[in-house]
């Protein structure tokens, strides 16, 4: 990625769209600190540029990420995976069980994604959609200020995706939450996001409100026919499905 | 028969390369078969396996030994309780000590945990040394160091177990899914925290599995160590053989077999419970 300069205002939902391999996941991993930028800096209005470990630690305390491949531990139960979202609050050498207050928070997070009934099931026994929801619950349990999602609705059906999207909307409305999501469902991006960032060839090809994201913007981003472009582009078909 | 590398009269460099690769593989397979056979036959010949006259009295001698060992003599059974417990204690303590030392050393040796080549290489070399020296030699060394009895046995078993388990642990760690660890790193969990909350839960069943296997192995190894004076059932068996008390020796071997079988059954159940739940 080159010459990417983006700012994300508080209490907004931004959708990042673009063809495969364009750098969407790289952008997410840069924002959550897993991949330090080769050049440039990530800056947060509250505490300035994140150019030292202490600043990053502050940022990470307020951040949660939903990963594309779920990043769950299969042999643990759903609730134990959600509890890992609070692992930064525990001493790594502690052998004590998770505190009751943490368990209650984890149960609430599972309830928010409609999985409370499967809390004690091992993740290996869950469907792809259920696993995705556990991943979302693990992010929500942190009560983050910045929620990053790399294809958070990829494995769930459209109805559930819309329900979870509504949940994100409510969270943005009632708490000081900022959401940045990589989405491949363009219609989902249009209905859920306040703003859409389109990446093409490692650069920002579109940055505007969801209502401004028209056919020409779509063409600029997905214009060159790639196999995934073909899959991504047919927004009309997607509308019919919804 | 050679296939024309130019089907339909059109030159095809890709087909030529495929056919050349096939011939090369055939040559390599033939060379490997001849070389491997030569090594195996050479090993048998060097060991005297083809000196047929040496087998002449073997069967009758073994038959005589078996006859002298029957019926097993359990008259000293009440005296074997202590050696039995010594052997069991050596296997348990040696395995636990070995596994405890293997965990940090295995983590140091795992390439995905420790990025510094020198530190990782030193850990792998150390584990290699520990397991390259046979348990019996470690037994001799520790008998000289701390005297006779079960203690040198525990130390010998632990040392060799550290070398073996450390290698297993390192390999298990290297195959762990990095995704959950990334999820933890993204929220600021330290490297120790990632090890504790992501890596350990993923590898724990495998660690326990290989440790139980090692315990079964150590039970048999603890018996062998009796030869160098670390006590236990092994010493009783060796002493019985030295005194030509073959009937007593066969009884001791039956006791040992019973113990090993019991441990195998317990180990299999624990393993099934652990791995079945995955």
């Amino acid at each position: 990625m080159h010459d990417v300069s983006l700012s994300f205002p508080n209490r907004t939902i931004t959708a990042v769209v673009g063809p495969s391999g364009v750098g969407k996941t790289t952008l997410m991993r840069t924002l959550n600190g897993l991949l330090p930028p080769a050049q440039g800096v990530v800056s947060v209005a509250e505490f300035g540029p994140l150019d030292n470990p202490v600043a990053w630690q502050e940022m990470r305390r307020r951040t949660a990420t939903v990963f594309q491949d779920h990043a769950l531990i299969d042999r643990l139960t759903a609730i134990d995976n959600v509890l890992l979202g609070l692992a930064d609050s525990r001493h790594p050498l502690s052998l004590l069980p998770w505190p009751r207050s943490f368990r209650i928070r984890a149960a609430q997070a599972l309830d928010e994604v409609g999985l409370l009934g499967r809390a004690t099931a091992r993740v290996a026994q869950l469907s792809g959609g259920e696993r995705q929801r556990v991943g979302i619950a693990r992010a929500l349990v942190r009560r983050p200020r910045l929620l990053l999602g790399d294809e958070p609705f990829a494995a769930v059906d459209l109805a559930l995706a819309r329900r979870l999207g509504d949940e994100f909307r409510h969270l943005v409305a009632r708490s000081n939450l900022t959401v940045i999501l990589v989405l491949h469902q363009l219609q989902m991006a249009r209905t859920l996001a306040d703003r859409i960032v389109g990446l093409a060839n490692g650069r920002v090809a579109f940055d505007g409100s969801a209502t401004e994201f028209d056919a020409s913007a779509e063409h600029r981003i997905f214009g060159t026919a790639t196999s995934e472009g073909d899959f991504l582009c047919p927004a009309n078909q997607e509308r019919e499905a919804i | 028969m050679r296939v024309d590398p130019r089907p339909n009269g059109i030159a095809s460099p890709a087909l030529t390369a495929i056919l050349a690769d096939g011939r090369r593989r055939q040559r390599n397979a033939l060379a490997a078969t001849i070389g491997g056979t030569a090594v195996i036959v050479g090993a048998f010949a060097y060991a005297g396996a083809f000196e047929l006259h040496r087998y002449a009295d073997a069967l009758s001698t073994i038959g005589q030994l078996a006859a002298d060992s029957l019926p097993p003599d359990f008259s000293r059974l009440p005296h074997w309780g202590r050696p039995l417990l010594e052997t069991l204690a050596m296997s348990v303590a040696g395995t636990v000590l070995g596994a405890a030392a293997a965990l940090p050393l295995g983590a140091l040796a795992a390439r995905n945990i420790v990025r510094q080549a020198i530190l990782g290489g030193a850990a792998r070399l150390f584990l290699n040394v520990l397991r390259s020296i046979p348990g019996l030699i470690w037994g001799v060394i520790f008998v000289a160091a701390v005297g006779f009895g079960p203690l040198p046995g525990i130390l010998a078993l632990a040392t060799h177990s550290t070398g073996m388990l450390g290698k297993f642990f390192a390999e298990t760690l290297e195959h762990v899914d990095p995704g959950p660890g990334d999820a933890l790193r993204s929220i600021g969990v330290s490297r120790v925290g990632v090890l504790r909350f992501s890596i350990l839960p993923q590898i724990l069943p495998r660690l326990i599995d290989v440790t139980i296997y090692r315990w079964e192995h150590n039970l048999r190894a603890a018996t062998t160590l009796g030869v160098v004076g670390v006590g236990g059932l092994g010493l009783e068996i060796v002493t019985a053989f030295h005194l030509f008390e073959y009937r007593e020796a066969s009884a001791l071997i039956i006791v040992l077999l019973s113990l090993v079988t019991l441990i195998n059954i317990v180990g299999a159940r624990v393993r099934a419970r652990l791995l079945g739940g995955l």
Side-chain angles (χ1 to χ4, degrees), chain A residues 48-59:
Chain A
L50 305 179
D51 53 6
N52 62 80
V54 177
W56 265 114
Q57 200 64 9
E58 280 300 308
M59 166 76 167

Side-chain angles (χ1 to χ4, degrees), chain A residues 29 32 34 57 60 63 65 67 71-73 75-76 84-85 87-88 90-94 98 122 138 142, chain B residues 177 179-180 182-190 192-193 196-202 204-205 274 277-278:
Chain A
R29 291 174 74 86
N32 66 18
L34 285 177
Q57 200 64 9
R60 284 174 174 137
T63 308
T65 307
F67 288 82
L72 302 172
I73 299 178
R75 61 171 288 272
L76 296 186
L84 291 179
D88 58 328
R90 291 200 71 193
H91 193 281
L93 300 179
S94 167
W98 290 91
R122 284 179 190 261
R138 184 182 57 189
R142 295 181 59 69
Chain B
D177 175 11
D182 280 350
L184 291 179
R185 286 200 298 128
S186 75
I187 60 171
V189 175
S190 65
V192 178
R196 157 76 173 80
F197 294 117
S198 167
I199 296 175
L200 198 59
Q202 289 186 70
L204 200 57
L274 274 172
L278 286 178

Side-chain angles (χ1 to χ4, degrees), chain A residues 1-154:
Chain A
M1 295 180 74
H2 305 279
D3 301 327
V4 173
S5 179
L6 293 165
S7 61
F8 301 95
N10 271 346
R11 306 180 72 159
T12 56
I13 298 181
T14 303
V16 180
V17 300
S20 181
V22 78
K24 305 186 294 291
T25 297
T26 302
L27 179 64
M28 289 293 116
R29 291 174 74 86
T30 303
L31 292 175
N32 66 18
L34 285 177
L35 195 66
Q39 282 184 325
V41 68
V42 179
S43 193
V44 180
E46 215 170 305
F47 33 84
L50 305 179
D51 53 6
N52 62 80
V54 177
W56 265 114
Q57 200 64 9
E58 280 300 308
M59 166 76 167
R60 284 174 174 137
R61 261 188 348 104
R62 295 162 167 80
T63 308
T65 307
V66 181
F67 288 82
Q68 189 175 17
D69 54 0
H70 322 313
L72 302 172
I73 299 178
D74 282 358
R75 61 171 288 272
L76 296 186
T77 62
I79 194 156
D80 281 339
N81 270 284
V82 175
L83 281 164
L84 291 179
L86 301 169
D88 58 328
S89 307
R90 291 200 71 193
H91 193 281
L93 300 179
S94 167
L95 295 175
L96 297 172
W98 290 91
R100 188 168 176 273
S101 59
F102 282 25
R103 287 192 174 277
I104 291 170
R105 271 175 71 174
Q108 286 167 343
L110 278 173
D111 195 26
E112 283 176 45
V113 297
L115 263 189
L116 189 58
R118 303 283 276 153
T120 54
R122 284 179 190 261
V123 163
Q125 298 164 338
L126 301 181
S127 69
E130 288 173 329
R131 294 160 69 93
Q132 188 76 70
R133 284 143 74 188
V134 175
I136 294 171
R138 184 182 57 189
L140 294 180
V141 76
R142 295 181 59 69
R143 296 173 187 157
R145 296 271 301 282
L146 173 63
L147 179 65
L148 303 169
D150 193 354
E151 303 277 14
F153 309 129

Side-chain angles (χ1 to χ4, degrees), chain A residues 156-227:
Chain A
V156 300
D157 60 57
L158 268 176
L160 181 61
R162 292 181 71 183
R163 215 190 89 202
L164 290 169
D166 288 344
E167 180 63 29
F168 284 2
R169 271 245 149 269
H170 291 142
L171 283 170
V172 169
R174 71 170 181 254
S175 60
N176 195 12
L177 179 69
T178 304
V179 179
I180 306 170
L181 304 173
V182 168
L183 292 174
H184 77 270
Q185 305 104 322
L186 287 183
Q187 186 56 23
M188 185 85 193
R190 283 193 177 96
T191 54
L192 176 63
D194 304 299
R195 170 190 173 203
I196 293 179
V197 171
L199 300 179
N201 302 320
R203 293 169 197 277
V204 177
F206 176 85
D207 184 1
S209 70
T211 49
E212 292 167 345
F213 190 78
D214 54 14
S216 74
E218 205 174 307
H219 182 75
R220 275 211 303 283
I221 298 164
F222 299 106
T224 49
T226 62
S227 57

Side-chain angles (χ1 to χ4, degrees), chain B residues 20-79:
Chain B
D21 182 56
R23 285 194 297 276
R24 187 177 55 78
R25 280 167 189 263
Q26 260 183 348
R27 277 198 305 273
N28 289 349
L30 187 65
T33 307
I34 292 170
T37 307
V39 168
I40 293 165
V41 171
F44 275 96
Y46 191 76
F50 301 124
E51 296 165 19
L52 299 180
H53 66 275
R54 293 182 63 179
Y55 298 109
D57 300 328
L59 211 56
S60 59
T61 306
I62 290 171
Q64 184 60 48
L65 203 59
D68 290 348
S69 305
L70 292 172
D73 177 8
F74 288 96
S75 59
R76 291 192 66 238
L77 186 65
H79 300 283

